[in-house]
Amino acid sequence: MKINLVTGQFKKKDAIDLISHLIHVKIQFHEKNIDKNDNEDDIKMREKRIIQLQKDLFEARKYIDQNTEREISLEVEIKL
């Protein structure tokens, strides 16, 4: 099963806002589970994932800002 979450052309600001919100939701998910979990290995894995998501968001913003196009094409799909 596939869910097309985001598909289309977006102004740069809108693309950055959308990507930022999606990544922040995933970060919040990991943060919430760190609070509930006592397993040290799981906590470390989630902390690493949060750091990677923050880096990915930084790189996405940088890429979009440097892109000369007026609009950015986004496709976000969830596969089950």
Side-chain angles (χ1 to χ4, degrees):
M1 175 180 184
K2 292 191 297 185
I3 300 169
N4 290 321
L5 197 58
V6 178
T7 303
Q9 295 286 109
F10 297 86
K11 294 178 184 175
K12 286 183 175 187
K13 182 189 178 311
D14 292 337
I16 290 172
D17 286 347
L18 189 51
I19 293 167
S20 295
H21 287 320
L22 291 169
I23 290 177
H24 284 297
V25 166
K26 183 65 176 184
I27 288 171
Q28 289 171 348
F29 171 81
H30 283 298
E31 288 173 340
K32 184 176 83 173
N33 283 302
I34 286 173
D35 293 340
K36 291 181 182 179
N37 213 324
D38 293 332
N39 181 336
E40 189 173 332
D41 288 337
D42 193 40
I43 291 171
K44 286 181 182 180
M45 181 276 302
R46 290 183 187 284
E47 288 172 342
K48 284 182 184 178
R49 185 66 181 126
I50 289 168
I51 291 167
Q52 185 60 53
L53 287 164
Q54 291 168 335
K55 286 179 183 177
D56 291 344
L57 178 56
F58 175 80
E59 290 299 321
R61 285 179 174 163
K62 190 168 109 177
Y63 174 81
I64 291 170
D65 285 339
Q66 293 174 349
N67 192 310
T68 58
E69 299 295 320
R70 299 185 88 202
E71 291 190 339
I72 301 294
S73 177
L74 296 179
E75 291 184 32
V76 179
E77 181 178 86
I78 297 173
K79 294 180 184 179
L80 301 174

